[in-house]
Amino acid sequence: MSLYLALKFLHLLGATILLGTGTGIAFFMLMAHLSRDAAFVAGTAGIVVVADALFTATAVVAQPVTGYLLTRETGIGLGEGWVALSLGLYVTAGLFWLPVVWIQARMRDLAAAAARAGAPLPAAYNRLFRIWFACGIPGFGSVMAIVWLMVAKPALGG
């Protein structure tokens, strides 16, 4: 296998992991939240925190590394329109993902405390869920746009 194909495979794998893990996390967190069961939310959020650390964080590191190496291998400049826009969207996704990592851990802790006390999910949990959900839209949307740019490689700019 050529270096180019190996890098392309790893880059595509990273993109798939970002989209797949993001979709799975969003689905499972939403379903747990809708149950209003504090113990279920705590358990789900605990798994989500681990999944983010294992899968999302690894892909977040691998994507720019493999992307940069691909640009070097192909001779495409980082200033190429679709590449530059992808990089901007990557930063945007990161700015929304980083607080979500902390929010998920805090939601887990609040739900676990409520479950131990036999209490409903507290108002602080509900506030964090709304922020978590709101951050997911531009964060995940940015990743989807990056994948489209990666596939279409549109001619942008002048």
Side-chain angles (χ1 to χ4, degrees):
M1 178 184 306
S2 70
L3 177 60
Y4 169 75
L5 286 179
L7 289 170
K8 189 173 182 177
F9 172 77
L10 291 172
H11 197 66
L12 182 58
L13 182 62
T16 304
I17 288 170
L18 284 176
L19 281 175
T21 303
T23 301
I25 283 172
F27 175 77
F28 291 117
M29 284 295 289
L30 178 61
M31 292 297 103
H33 172 77
L34 292 175
S35 79
R36 307 303 300 157
D37 179 328
F40 183 51
V41 170
T44 301
I47 292 168
V48 159
V49 168
V50 171
D52 244 352
L54 287 175
F55 300 110
T56 310
T58 302
V60 162
V61 171
Q63 283 308 99
V65 171
T66 57
Y68 173 73
L69 293 173
L70 275 168
T71 62
R72 287 193 50 178
E73 186 69 15
T74 60
I76 297 172
L78 294 177
E80 178 75 26
W82 68 270
V83 174
L85 181 55
S86 294
L87 291 170
L89 288 167
Y90 195 76
V91 169
T92 299
L95 290 174
F96 284 98
W97 176 68
L98 287 173
V100 161
V101 171
W102 177 84
I103 288 169
Q104 289 169 169
R106 185 72 182 120
M107 288 166 54
R108 174 202 60 203
D109 296 345
L110 289 168
R116 283 192 302 275
L121 294 166
Y125 164 87
N126 291 313
R127 277 191 304 279
L128 287 172
F129 180 83
R130 287 189 298 273
I131 295 167
W132 176 87
F133 190 86
C135 286
I137 294 168
F140 192 70
S142 294
V143 174
M144 288 191 348
I146 292 166
V147 171
W148 181 82
L149 288 167
M150 194 170 69
V151 170
K153 296 176 179 60
L156 303 175

